């Protein structure tokens, strides 16, 4: 069965199963399924790493205009004393706000994450604010509104959920946004809105409007605080002032880990299925129900360990998570595609095997006499049209340089779709995919960096500072000498030309100076040093 024409479920809660989904064939097949379905495709993965990988694959294979959301895991354990990172909360709130109005697209979530209960759908949608040029805005009232929505008043905005005021200028980093905004008031009227760089504080582009979503996934205004205090005294026996949670909330200082008391802030809770639009289909990766059951057992185990904690008494798991039984009933109400990596041996009705095949070993081994012998043999004998993938422009330059040493010269293409229509037998594109594959029927092979250089630590897909291999990270500026070749993650190979101090918005900031072809200069803030690594070609 061709991946380019995947069999889809019909109507009335029907189900299909796809087998032999090797390598990145899951993403390729699901991209077609998402494009052919006029609604939301909910994809449930066994873990968050699979979700991140699938997000990258769908972004690479899908046509432009298809909305793809990842609902991230909180990256905390049940009843943890830590709160999720602001970037994680931002992505979660953005996904929740987009779900009910998504006309065509996909949302990816892990099995453990989808069991969590949420604030009522009306809270996320009802608390959003639209800000536009020429709107009337009372500064003091707006500041109070932001604080009630969970935003923090700071001196300089750096991350999601923060705002700052300097005279008639308001800096604000809304949840769900890729960048912060600078509002310039003339009296009580919004005169201009610009985006700005939080690291340099330099204004960038003018915009007409933007949306402000709440800073937390649950209400934190005065009514919600009062509701929390009442519910807490009903829920737990003894003196509530013995609890660091109760004391913190009462003083309007929400402590870390407060997310595990969400139901106490809400009049009622919802679950993820309540947020889904009516026209939705479901995708299950592997045996999701068993994974949900294991997660539920782990949660109850952690509850038993913590239920006598006086300072942080835990809520019962039934108040914070839906049961695995309820989860199983909910997923079978939707038209479903189930994916299995292994080959389905005895095909029944609505079961299909794709023509995908795993790649042979193609690793470039510098320890042997002919490091790329397996790769060269595959290129010459397979008869496939081959696409190499690199994670970033800088990595692409490195891969091209390595392949050139073995007389392999792929043509650079901008996308998967450009590769399909061009006649080049060898091509290279940007695509942060983990595993390649062979499409036997189409005579196409995809080879990733992991296939060429072996498995390595993958970068997080969120907007966080990324961690690199210790040998390639420049830990100290003294590691660089003027004229040394370096690789910028987004701009490729250039030469380090020293440090330079520039004054931006009245603030002196130190920059690395990188020189590129034709004398082009790139200034990289020292705070973004993590984007630069040694060139090792």
């Amino acid at each position: 069965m061709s991946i380019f024409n995947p069999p889809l479920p019909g109507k009335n809660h029907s189900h299909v199963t796809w087998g032999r989904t090797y390598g990145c064939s899951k993403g390729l097949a699901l991209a077609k399924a998402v494009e052919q379905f006029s609604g939301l495709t909910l994809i449930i993965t066994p873990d968050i790493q699979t979700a991140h990988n699938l997000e990258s694959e769908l972004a690479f294979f899908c046509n432009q205009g298809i909305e793809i959301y990842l609902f991230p895991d909180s990256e905390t354990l049940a009843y943890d004393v830590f709160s999720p990172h602001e970037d994680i909360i931002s992505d979660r709130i953005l996904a929740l706000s987009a779900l009910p109005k998504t006309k065509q697209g996909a949302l990816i979530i892990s099995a453990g994450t989808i069991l969590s209960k949420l604030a009522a759908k009306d809270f996320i949608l009802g608390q959003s604010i639209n800000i536009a040029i020429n709107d009337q805005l009372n500064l003091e009232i707006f500041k109070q509104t932001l604080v009630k929505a969970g935003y923090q008043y700071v001196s300089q905005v750096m991350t999601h959920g923060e705002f700052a005021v300097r005279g008639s200028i308001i800096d604000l980093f809304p949840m769900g946004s890729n960048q912060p905004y600078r509002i310039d008031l003339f009296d009580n009227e919004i005169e201009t809105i610009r985006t700005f760089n939080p690291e340099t504080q330099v204004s960038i582009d003018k915009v007409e409007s933007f949306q402000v979503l709440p800073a937390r996934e649950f209400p934190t205004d005065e009514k919600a605080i009062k509701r929390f205090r009442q519910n807490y005294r009903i829920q737990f026996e003894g003196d509530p002032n013995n609890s660091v949670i109760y004391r913190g909330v009462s003083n309007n200082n929400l402590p870390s880990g407060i997310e595990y008391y969400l139901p106490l802030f809400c009049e009622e809770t919802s679950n993820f299925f309540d947020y889904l639009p009516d026209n939705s289909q479901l995708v299950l990766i592997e045996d999701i129900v068993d994974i949900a059951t294991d997660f539920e057992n782990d949660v109850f185990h952690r509850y038993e360990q913590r239920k006598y904690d006086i300072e942080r008494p835990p809520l019962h798991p039934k108040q914070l998570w839906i049961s695995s039984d309820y989860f199983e009933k909910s997923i079978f109400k939707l038209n479903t595609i189930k994916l299995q990596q292994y080959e389905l041996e005895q095909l029944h009705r609505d079961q299909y095997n794709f023509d995908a095949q795993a790649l042979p070993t193609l690793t470039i081994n510098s320890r042997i006499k002919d490091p790329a012998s397996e790769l060269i043999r595959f290129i010459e004998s397979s008869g496939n049209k081959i696409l190499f993938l690199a994670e970033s422009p800088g990595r692409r330059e490195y891969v091209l340089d390595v392949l050139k040493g073995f007389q392999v010269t792929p043509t650079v293409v901008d996308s998967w779709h450009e590769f399909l229509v061009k006649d080049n037998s060898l091509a290279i594109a940007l695509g942060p995919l983990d595993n390649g594959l062979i499409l036997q029927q189409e005579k196409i092979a995809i080879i990733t960096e992991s296939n060429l250089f072996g498995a390595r630590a993958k970068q997080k897909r969120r907007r966080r500072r990324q961690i690199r291999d210790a040998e390639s990270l420049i830990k100290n500026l003294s590691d660089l000498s003027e004229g040394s070749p370096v690789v910028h993650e987004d701009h490729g190979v250039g030469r380090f030309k020293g440090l330079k101090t520039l004054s931006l918005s009245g603030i002196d900031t130190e920059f690395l100076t990188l020189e590129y072809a034709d004398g082009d200069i790139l200034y990289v803030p020292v705070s973004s040093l993590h984007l630069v690594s040694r060139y090792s070609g």
Side-chain angles (χ1 to χ4, degrees), residues 441-455:
Q441 185 173 326
E442 287 82 11
K443 300 296 290 183
I444 289 175
I446 298 174
I447 302 176
T448 68
E449 285 192 65
S450 297
N451 298 133
L452 291 177
F453 306 120

Side-chain angles (χ1 to χ4, degrees), residues 117-355:
K117 288 189 176 180
L118 306 165
K121 183 169 62 173
D122 293 343
F123 165 69
I124 296 291
L125 300 180
Q127 294 295 314
S128 62
I129 306 170
N130 291 316
I131 303 295
I133 291 176
N134 299 327
D135 280 356
Q136 294 295 308
L137 189 149
N138 184 293
L139 182 56
E140 290 304 316
I141 294 177
F142 187 58
K143 286 163 60 176
Q144 295 172 18
T145 301
L146 290 176
V147 171
K148 289 178 180 178
Y151 283 80
Q152 290 187 309
Y153 192 5
V154 297
S155 59
Q156 181 173 307
V157 170
M158 294 296 294
T159 189
H160 288 100
E162 294 181 343
F163 76 99
V165 178
R166 298 187 308 278
S168 62
I169 295 176
I170 306 169
D171 286 350
L172 172 62
F173 206 146
M175 306 305 279
S177 173
N178 291 330
Q179 53 200 346
Y181 296 91
R182 180 162 291 155
I183 304 170
D184 195 351
L185 295 176
F186 180 75
D187 197 12
N188 282 346
E189 184 177 304
I190 297 176
E191 188 173 37
T192 62
I193 303 174
R194 294 179 182 270
T195 60
F196 70 93
N197 186 324
E199 294 179 340
T200 64
Q201 296 294 303
V202 176
S203 298
I204 306 173
D205 298 320
K206 284 186 177 181
V207 297
E208 293 295 318
S209 63
F210 67 94
Q211 185 181 42
V212 182
L213 296 171
R216 292 186 180 272
E217 296 176 44
F218 52 89
T220 56
D221 57 11
E222 293 177 6
K223 288 184 178 179
I225 298 298
K226 183 179 180 180
R227 188 182 303 119
F228 170 90
R229 288 163 54 87
Q230 293 174 341
N231 289 335
Y232 190 98
R233 292 193 293 268
I234 295 171
Q235 183 72 39
F236 301 111
E237 297 179 353
D239 185 357
N241 288 305
N242 290 330
S243 166
V244 65
I245 299 297
Y246 184 85
R247 296 197 306 270
V249 175
S250 298
N251 294 325
N252 290 314
N253 183 21
L254 301 184
S256 296
I258 192 63
E259 289 74 18
Y260 290 106
Y261 296 87
L262 177 149
L264 303 186
F265 289 91
C266 305
E267 292 183 2
E268 60 180 11
T269 57
S270 299
N271 61 69
F272 206 87
F273 295 98
D274 296 330
Y275 279 77
L276 296 181
D278 293 334
N279 191 25
S280 299
Q281 68 176 356
L282 180 67
V283 174
L284 304 178
I285 310 292
E286 305 298 336
D287 297 319
I288 293 300
V289 175
D290 291 343
I291 295 170
T293 302
D294 291 342
F295 177 87
E296 183 180 36
N297 292 335
D298 289 341
V299 167
F300 271 90
H301 178 68
R302 290 181 65 83
Y303 171 75
E304 290 296 325
Q305 291 179 322
R306 288 161 174 75
K307 66 180 181 180
Y308 300 111
D309 188 336
I310 297 175
E311 286 203 340
R312 289 176 173 267
L315 293 175
H316 193 275
K318 290 183 179 180
Q319 294 175 268
L320 291 167
W321 291 274
I322 62 174
S323 68
S324 57
D325 290 339
Y326 181 90
F327 170 72
E328 186 172 7
K329 292 176 183 176
S330 298
I331 61 178
F332 284 107
K333 292 179 182 178
L334 299 169
N335 292 340
T336 303
I337 302 169
K338 185 175 181 180
L339 275 66
Q340 298 287 355
Q341 183 167 330
Y342 57 78
E343 182 173 354
L344 302 172
E345 295 183 355
Q346 294 182 344
L347 295 179
H348 302 290
R349 185 171 175 264
D350 297 327
Q351 291 186 329
Y352 309 89
N353 283 320
F354 287 127
D355 71 338

